[in-house]
Amino acid sequence: MNMTKVLVATDKPFAKVAVDGIRKIIENAGFELVLLEKYTSQSDFKNAVTDVDAVIIRSDIADKEVIESGKNLKIIVRAGAGYDNIDLAACTDKGVVAMNTPGQNSNAVAELAFGMMLMAARNSFDGSSGTELRGKKIGIHAYGNVGKYVAEIAKGFGMDIYAYDPFVSNEAIEKDGIKPLNSVEELYSTCQYISLHIPANEKTKKSINFELLSKMPKNACLVNTARKEVINEEGLLKIFAERTDFKYVSDIEPACKAELAEKFAGRYFFTPKKMGAQTSEANVNAGLAAASQIVDFIKNGNKTYQVNK
Ligand code: 3PG
């Protein structure tokens, strides 16, 4: 019988310590690790999948073509939270189990949200007089794994903390000492800072629009460590034009970056690459969880974190 092959396909590589840990788990299980890092084209990814049983990815695009090229493919694990980069229907059609590793990189993302908030509050550290976070209202848009870490850190900063999440009960939010609000409109009209933690799906794409952003109080700052796709960029450009007090900080630049750069310099910050989860701790947590989930699925059939049906 051929040895089980596990491909780690990461255009944005894990820290070495994480790759070493993944290798140990895979090899201890008697499997073989295949590494494809910083690949230059989607066809490199597609070719690498051809003869493997399992794949670990990050934000890599696991589209229909990739999934279908995996002749022996049984499982694909997104080492991270958002799985909008996987064609779930293609996985289901081919009988491939798709999983994520929820919670494993959440603290890293929450810390980046605060790093960017401080940048906005301190005018990108340009030497001018900025503002403080203490006492300011922060609205956590979706109270999941990252949202909870954001709340915890916000307490340390002495912020006034609100959250809106239609999938989490008010009681659960209150239990953490956070004020729940009952609509997205209420969250945006209450909070000077909004930290976005919604997934990108058919319901949420382009949902953060001009109407919502225009409700934000004076000196509004939108912090996006979620996905650029949830922003309605026409609305974003409009709010920048109408509200000179509006700032936007985001983990990964929007498509309209050139226009923002031309007209609204100094009021935004974008990471050059999505790097919320780019810490060795998050790489280790998510990478090792992905490797263990693969071993547990192949050896014992455990499908706990399956995201496709
Ligand atoms: C996630 O969904 O887990 C984060 O966006 C991290 O993505 P990354 O693994 O590409 O850094």
Side-chain angles (χ1 to χ4, degrees):
M1 208 177 103
N2 288 338
M3 198 186 242
T4 298
K5 281 190 186 176
V6 180
L7 170 73
V8 174
T10 46
D11 181 40
K12 186 176 57 185
F14 286 123
K16 185 180 177 302
V17 61
V19 177
D20 291 346
I22 293 169
R23 183 180 298 283
K24 211 166 153 191
I25 292 171
I26 298 302
E27 292 181 353
N28 281 348
F31 302 167
E32 183 188 338
L33 182 87
V34 184
L35 201 55
L36 176 73
E37 292 184 327
K38 288 190 189 173
Y39 50 91
T40 47
S41 74
Q42 192 64 7
S43 64
D44 290 348
F45 182 17
K46 205 178 102 182
N47 293 337
V49 170
T50 326
D51 67 339
V52 302
D53 300 271
V55 179
I56 295 175
I57 55 168
R58 296 185 63 181
S59 291
D60 306 81
I61 308 298
D63 57 17
K64 197 171 174 358
E65 267 192 72
V66 166
I67 301 298
E68 285 183 350
S69 70
K71 304 276 170 284
N72 304 329
L73 192 62
K74 297 163 188 68
I75 177 167
I76 180 160
V77 182
R78 195 279 190 246
Y83 43 86
D84 47 307
N85 50 326
I86 304 180
D87 188 328
L88 295 183
C91 289
T92 303
D93 286 350
K94 216 176 163 291
V96 172
V97 169
M99 292 186 185
N100 66 349
T101 65
Q104 300 289 350
N105 58 20
S106 309
N107 180 64
V109 178
E111 286 191 13
L112 183 74
F114 273 86
M116 295 195 301
M117 272 167 66
L118 282 173
M119 258 188 113
R122 295 301 183 104
N123 305 326
S124 302
F125 310 112
D126 67 356
S128 66
S129 214
T131 52
E132 298 179 21
L133 297 182
R134 179 169 294 277
K136 304 297 187 312
K137 290 183 167 60
I138 179 170
I140 301 172
H141 189 169
Y143 197 66
N145 291 313
V146 183
K148 284 181 188 160
Y149 277 113
V150 166
E152 219 176 274
I153 300 170
K155 285 179 193 169
F157 274 96
M159 298 186 85
D160 188 12
I161 314 164
Y162 299 78
Y164 169 72
D165 191 324
F167 304 104
V168 180
S169 71
N170 284 358
E171 292 71 33
I173 294 173
E174 274 163 359
K175 213 166 123 251
D176 291 348
I178 312 304
K179 299 175 195 101
L181 292 174
N182 291 319
S183 71
V184 76
E185 289 76 16
E186 212 185 332
L187 189 79
Y188 281 67
S189 53
T190 305
C191 300
Q192 179 186 345
Y193 286 89
I194 292 284
S195 194
L196 272 173
H197 305 292
I198 53 176
N201 57 39
E202 288 324 305
K203 283 208 172 113
T204 62
K205 280 181 188 166
K206 297 192 177 185
S207 64
I208 310 305
N209 54 25
F210 175 77
E211 206 192 336
L212 207 49
L213 294 173
S214 61
K215 294 187 189 304
M216 289 180 74
K218 199 165 163 35
N219 298 324
C221 179
L222 179 67
V223 184
N224 184 4
T225 53
R227 291 287 182 268
K228 67 176 180 185
E229 289 80 4
V230 302
I231 305 291
N232 178 317
E233 293 196 9
E234 263 175 46
L236 184 71
L237 286 164
K238 195 165 170 210
I239 193 84
F240 262 101
E242 289 196 6
R243 293 258 311 256
T244 54
D245 62 314
F246 178 85
K247 286 186 178 175
Y248 180 49
V249 287
S250 173
D251 185 15
I252 205 170
E253 56 196 39
C256 65
K257 187 194 165 187
E259 200 168 341
L260 290 174
E262 196 186 308
K263 298 180 183 160
F264 310 113
R267 290 170 50 201
Y268 63 83
F269 169 77
F270 307 126
T271 53
K273 244 183 191 196
K274 186 146 73 77
M275 54 174 292
Q278 199 63 325
T279 66
S280 50
E281 292 90 338
N283 289 176
V284 166
N285 292 343
L288 270 55
S292 300
Q293 286 171 217
I294 285 174
V295 172
D296 201 17
F297 169 72
I298 292 184
K299 294 207 179 235
N300 312 313
N302 188 338
K303 296 185 187 172
T304 302
Y305 296 104
Q306 183 171 8
V307 292
N308 64 325
K309 294 290 164 243

